[in-house]
Amino acid sequence: MKHPVQAIAAAIALAALCGTARAQTISDDVVKIGVLTDMSSLYADATGKGSLVAVQMAVEDYGGKVKGKNVEVISADHQNKPDVGVNIARNWYDNEKVDAIFDVPTSSVALPISALTREKNKIHINSGGGSSDITGTQCSPNTVHWTYDTYALSNVAGKAMVKRGEDTWFFITADYAFGQALERDAANVVKEAGGKVLGDVRHPLNSSDFSSFVLQAQASKAKVVGLANAGGDTQNALKQAAEFGLAQSGQKMIALLMEITDVHSLGIKSTSGLIVTDAFYWDMNDETRAFSKRFNDKVGHMPTMIQAGLYSATTHYLKAIEAIGTDEAPKVMAQMRATPVNDFFAKNGKIRIDGRMVHDMYLFEVKKPEESKGDWDLYKLIATVPGDEAFRPLDKGGCPLVKSN
């Protein structure tokens, strides 16, 4: 018979061991990922079905299991409405036992989803939303901003254009969180580089008529008309700018967020010469081409940076769970931050304490029709900008986590 002290010590040790075993397990015996995206509106090509497929591909390539437990992927359309998105996310977390929400384009939806995820102590990996506030004043220990943001888009393209002498700007801006952040960040870059902002005009999300906005830009006589919008809004603005002859009158158009699906939809003739900032291009190397061919076979178009980023993010998330043996959010986040990102999307990428995944960004120019060798042969590389130069410095975003770190 054990001495009472020995018995107590053994009981304590056993309890500690059981506690450790419980801590290092997969909740509900499944890792559940929710892809919350735009399936039906102006961002559906850049995100949508392709975002879901990218996550599914990553899970399948990982073997469909982590630590012997199934990985399940569900999806929903947030319709670009914050209330719809938050209600879906709340139901997923409270009732569907979702561990992590991926994608979430449209910053006005992404920001409250990030806040809700922190409240529920789950994980949000954002690829589709753009506002740099996601890792700035509204940063969260539970959110990673994976692919791009308004600061990087503005910083890479804005500096390059002002340096070339295109130093007076007018903005046509989508009137919601993303567009406002994109204009703000681009205007700051232009001014810091020695340029001037001559004016701006705001348009509603998902606009079809840009004529009055284009005419105001034309009347400004600015050398550069910056489009601080995305998706269908960017396409419509470019089409109508061409109809009004902005390029012929000497003004340079820049789409601050332009996906390869937008360029393909508009056609190389009407987009030739456009400057584009991007985090990914399918034809960079053998790795990007291999992934993109598989993706194209499933979806019918080459992946956007958002979709390629989601494959990368999903794989990194699953690797983190595999490494530590649990899907408990704080531990998974710590492991993801501690592990460099090395795949076809990013080399030596790193996740900072503010949630920003830092990686190289690229400046492209859309090819002339005679330079293109195929349907998706659209870009030529102008510059590779190292991540630490492309993204906002850690101490400049106003993230409260930086002060406490």
Side-chain angles (χ1 to χ4, degrees):
M1 185 174 176
K2 286 185 179 177
H3 188 276
V5 174
Q6 289 175 316
I8 291 167
I12 290 170
L14 182 63
L17 232 131
C18 291
T20 303
R22 277 197 300 271
Q24 302 301 317
T25 56
I26 304 301
S27 60
D28 309 302
D29 283 334
V30 64
V31 174
K32 200 165 187 179
I33 296 170
V35 180
L36 188 57
T37 189
D38 176 4
M39 289 287 190
S40 56
S41 189
L42 73 167
Y43 303 136
D45 287 345
T47 62
K49 176 189 172 185
S51 288
L52 174 60
V53 169
V55 172
Q56 289 172 331
M57 286 175 67
V59 170
E60 289 166 10
D61 289 350
Y62 203 79
K65 294 179 182 288
V66 60
K67 299 303 286 186
K69 306 297 183 182
N70 288 336
V71 181
E72 186 179 341
V73 180
I74 63 174
S75 66
D77 182 356
H78 62 42
Q79 302 171 41
N80 298 309
K81 297 175 180 176
D83 57 336
V84 172
V86 169
N87 286 338
I88 292 168
R90 192 178 295 278
N91 178 59
W92 278 358
Y93 287 148
D94 291 348
N95 302 314
E96 299 289 333
K97 308 301 182 186
V98 166
D99 298 296
I101 292 178
F102 281 63
D103 199 16
V104 194
T106 316
S107 297
S108 55
V109 185
L111 288 163
I113 294 296
S114 180
L116 177 67
T117 301
R118 183 175 190 171
E119 176 193 323
K120 299 294 183 181
N121 197 26
K122 300 289 188 174
I123 288 176
H124 171 41
I125 302 185
N126 190 290
S127 187
S131 174
S132 60
D133 292 343
I134 292 170
T135 57
T137 54
Q138 298 188 55
C139 68
S140 162
N142 297 71
T143 294
V144 182
H145 206 184
W146 199 267
T147 301
Y148 75 102
D149 62 29
T150 53
Y151 183 96
L153 294 177
S154 307
N155 191 35
V156 172
K159 278 183 180 174
M161 295 195 76
V162 174
K163 191 175 179 181
R164 297 194 321 192
E166 290 152 348
D167 54 3
T168 57
W169 287 55
F170 184 95
F171 291 97
I172 298 177
T173 302
D175 195 11
Y176 77 105
F178 163 74
Q180 293 159 15
L182 187 51
E183 180 188 330
R184 176 198 67 204
D185 290 344
N188 288 339
V189 167
V190 169
K191 292 170 189 173
E192 287 168 9
K196 292 180 181 179
V197 176
L198 302 185
D200 67 82
V201 63
R202 303 282 171 88
H203 68 81
L205 181 66
N206 209 5
S207 294
S208 57
D209 185 3
F210 279 83
S211 55
S212 66
F213 312 126
V214 170
L215 286 170
Q216 288 179 64
Q218 195 169 35
S220 74
K221 305 295 185 188
K223 294 178 183 176
V224 178
V225 177
L227 300 179
N229 51 24
D233 284 336
T234 299
Q235 292 186 34
N236 287 332
L238 285 169
K239 286 174 187 174
Q240 289 170 48
E243 290 169 10
F244 282 96
L246 262 69
Q248 286 76 11
S249 63
Q251 289 178 298
K252 187 81 173 178
M253 298 290 297
I254 177 168
L256 290 164
L257 175 54
M258 188 83 172
E259 299 283 0
I260 193 168
T261 46
D262 299 322
V263 175
H264 187 266
S265 178
L266 287 166
I268 198 167
K269 287 183 181 178
S270 58
T271 53
S272 178
L274 265 178
I275 302 298
V276 178
T277 304
D278 216 315
F280 175 83
Y281 179 51
W282 72 271
D283 200 19
M284 296 286 284
N285 54 53
D286 288 344
E287 283 184 291
T288 59
R289 284 187 286 271
F291 166 74
S292 299
K293 183 182 184 303
R294 292 173 54 217
F295 181 93
N296 187 26
D297 289 344
K298 291 176 179 288
V299 182
H301 64 74
M302 288 299 180
T304 63
M305 64 174 171
I306 292 168
Q307 293 157 345
L310 282 166
Y311 182 101
S312 170
T314 304
T315 304
H316 195 72
Y317 172 68
L318 295 177
K319 284 181 177 178
I321 295 172
E322 189 80 48
I324 59 174
T326 179
D327 56 3
E328 190 179 331
K331 293 179 180 178
V332 175
M333 288 293 296
Q335 179 65 22
M336 287 196 297
R337 283 193 290 266
T339 310
V341 181
N342 280 298
D343 54 27
F344 69 80
F345 179 80
K347 300 301 178 191
N348 297 313
K350 57 186 178 185
I351 301 171
R352 302 188 312 203
I353 190 64
D354 62 351
R356 177 69 259 162
M357 202 280 270
V358 176
H359 53 83
D360 292 351
M361 293 289 289
Y362 306 100
L363 192 65
F364 295 105
E365 183 176 329
V366 179
K367 289 182 174 182
K368 296 173 184 174
E370 61 269 23
E371 294 174 320
S372 177
K373 296 174 183 174
D375 198 26
W376 290 93
D377 182 22
L378 300 173
Y379 292 170
K380 56 185 175 185
L381 183 64
I382 297 174
T384 299
V385 182
D388 288 333
E389 294 177 24
F391 290 97
R392 181 177 56 207
L394 183 60
D395 60 349
K396 300 295 185 186
C399 171
L401 299 173
V402 176
K403 296 175 186 175
S404 63
N405 188 44

